[in-house]
Structures are given as structure tokens and as C-alpha cells.
Amino acid sequence: MFRIKDIIDPSYPLLEANRTTIESIPRETFTYGPTERHKLDVYHSTLPNLPTKPPILVFFYGGGFTSGERSSQPSDLVHNNLGAFFASKGIITVIPDYRLVPSIVFPEGSEDIRDAMTWVVKNLSEGIPNRVSILAHSAGGIHVAGMLFTPSLFPSTVASSVRGVALLGVPYELSNYKRPRIHAASLQYYGNLQNIAANQPLGLLRRADKAHIASLPHIRNMRAESEPRVISGGVKTLTRLVGEKGGTIEECVLEGHDHLSPILSLSCGSGEEWGDGIVEWINSTGG
């Protein structure tokens, strides 16, 4: 059994031990919008005998609305490890940056998700339906959910390309999230408590038309075994509401993990089994 403390050690010894392997994966940087935060990295697989059009995974990291980078500091291996892991499995992997609080307000985070996805569809997917999957963690998942549950932010060109959406450790009900830093960032992003309640993912979902929810791609709703209770409760509520509105959703628990460890486990050789499950999910006919 893996040890969380080894995975989340801020010096990242397990990732450092695999630095050469992580850095061996070819990576290109592109621009998808007007600011320095509108950049993304594309990780290309070097596996032999790849299909002509391999699947594509787009990952949106967390950071409590106020932090996060596609190649995160102080270690330049965080998030690179995820791109390298999935690319090494034959999946083109894209990691965009997006704008952060206090520079944005709702729904600009979800607009950045939409714009990054639009770039991927236009430049990588070559118009092939169901070729692209999404993986999003924590605050990144809040912005992804905002796109999914708002029809005007989820254009048909993007929706038709998305095979499935995996949401991991997402705090869907921010109005009940009492940690001071997250609460303050939520107020900055949404404006006030009333707007948080209305426009947090569960608020958007409750107002969403059933036909729209039923039309969404398959959702894999994931949480770590040791998530804060507010996240675990929100995951269960979202699964129930999506199902009640006719959506296709499954709930998964990542045994042995906490909120941070799943992302940091990839490419470190410990606790990676959940990532293998994502690879199987992407490659399955069910999406």
C-alpha cells in the first residue's frame, strides 16, 4: 500500500526520482487566448504502433481559484507528471492554464475552459466525434462544471467532441465550504453569498433543464477516500441530481488517497492505479 505522506512530500522525492522519464515526453506550448494565462501544453506520446488518431485528454488542475500553473512551482514536475503519465499510455494530453482570482469573476473561469476546449477541438481533434476526454481536479472541476451545466458555455462543436468528463475532488457546494481561504476566494469570484449559492455547480445543476443534463457526456464523479466531508457530500449530491435529470454518471472512490495525492501520484510509481483506471475509461467504448 502506498503512503500519502511520501507522495505529497513538498520536495516530491518520488517524482524527482523519475524526473528523466517525465522530462523525456515531448511537450509543446501553444496560446489559446489573449493573456499570459491563456497558454497550454500538449504532451505527445512516443509509444510505437499508436493509432493514427489517438485519444486526447484535457486536464484542468485545481488551486482554490487563486493559484495553479500547468507546470507548477516550486517543483517543475507537478502537472508535468500527469501529462507525462497519460502520454506514456498513448493518450495525447493537454494541460491549459486559466485565469485566476482576483483577476476574474464568474463565469470567466468557465469561459476559459470553453476557450481551451475550443482550441483543442479546432487544432487537435480534427473533427472526430468523441475523441476528447476531460479530467478536472478541485477548483478546475468547478469551472468545468460551470461550462457543462450552462448551455451557452458548452457549444455543440465542443460537446460533440467530448467523450466523457472525469471530475475529481470537486467542491460542488461552496456555500458550505468554511475554510477561510476558499471562502474568501469564492466571494471574490462569485461576488456575494447569494451568487455563490446560485452559481456554484450544484446551484447551476438544480436550475438546469433536464434535456440539457440528459444530453451531456458521460460523467465519472470521483473523490478520494479521505476528502473533506463537504466535498464528499457534494459529490454524492451531484451524482444523485444528475441521475434524476437523466444524465449518465458514475461515482468512484479512490481508496487510500486524500485530496491532493491522486494528482501527485502519477509518474511517481506509487498510488497510480486510479490513473490506469482513467486510461481504461478513455479507451472503453462507453467513454
Side-chain angles (χ1 to χ4, degrees), residues 30-272:
F30 299 91
T31 298
Y32 73 90
T35 78
E36 281 299 308
R37 295 292 304 183
H38 290 107
K39 294 186 184 297
L40 54 81
D41 287 343
V42 179
Y43 292 77
H44 298 280
S45 179
T46 58
L47 283 182
N49 304 316
L50 276 175
T52 304
K53 308 295 182 186
I56 299 166
L57 176 66
V58 188
F59 171 66
F60 297 98
Y61 52 74
F65 288 128
T66 61
S67 64
E69 297 173 280
R70 64 190 190 276
S71 182
S72 201
Q73 301 302 317
S75 171
D76 57 356
L77 294 177
V78 175
H79 301 141
N80 307 52
N81 67 309
L82 182 143
F85 177 87
F86 288 110
S88 72
K89 307 291 185 179
I91 299 168
I92 296 172
T93 306
V94 183
I95 305 182
D97 280 333
Y98 53 86
R99 290 172 294 167
L100 303 171
V101 169
S103 299
I104 58 169
V105 294
F106 176 83
E108 291 175 321
S110 295
E111 290 173 352
D112 283 358
I113 304 302
R114 174 203 61 197
D115 292 347
M117 292 301 301
T118 299
W119 187 95
V120 169
V121 169
K122 180 179 179 181
N123 293 279
L124 297 179
S125 75
E126 301 183 55
I128 300 174
N130 300 322
R131 189 178 171 200
V132 183
S133 299
I134 296 173
L135 171 63
H137 180 233
S138 198
I142 292 174
H143 295 317
V144 169
M147 178 188 72
L148 290 177
F149 300 151
T150 308
S152 62
L153 293 177
F154 197 37
S156 59
T157 51
V158 172
S160 64
S161 297
V162 176
R163 180 182 186 84
V165 180
L167 300 169
L168 171 59
V170 180
Y172 296 116
E173 198 155 26
L174 291 160
S175 53
N176 289 333
Y177 212 105
K178 303 306 182 184
R179 292 187 179 181
R181 185 177 71 85
I182 302 299
H183 182 69
S186 299
L187 284 173
Q188 285 184 295
Y189 184 60
Y190 291 102
N192 55 51
L193 290 174
Q194 183 177 358
N195 286 343
I196 292 175
N199 296 315
Q200 63 189 352
L202 285 179
L204 295 173
L205 175 58
R206 290 185 175 105
R207 297 202 310 276
D209 182 79
K210 285 186 176 181
H212 175 68
I213 300 304
S215 73
L216 292 176
H218 180 278
I219 298 173
R220 172 170 278 205
N221 195 18
M222 304 186 296
R223 63 175 178 87
E225 183 178 12
S226 299
E227 293 282 10
R229 184 176 300 177
V230 67
I231 290 181
S232 298
V235 167
K236 293 178 181 180
T237 301
L238 185 118
T239 298
R240 175 177 58 81
L241 290 176
V242 169
E244 288 175 355
K245 294 200 170 196
T248 304
I249 189 166
E250 63 175 318
E251 188 172 320
C252 306
V253 178
L254 278 53
E255 295 184 1
H257 279 286
D258 70 4
H259 184 67
L260 295 177
S261 63
I263 303 304
L264 297 172
S265 71
L266 300 180
S267 297
C268 84
S270 184
E272 298 175 313

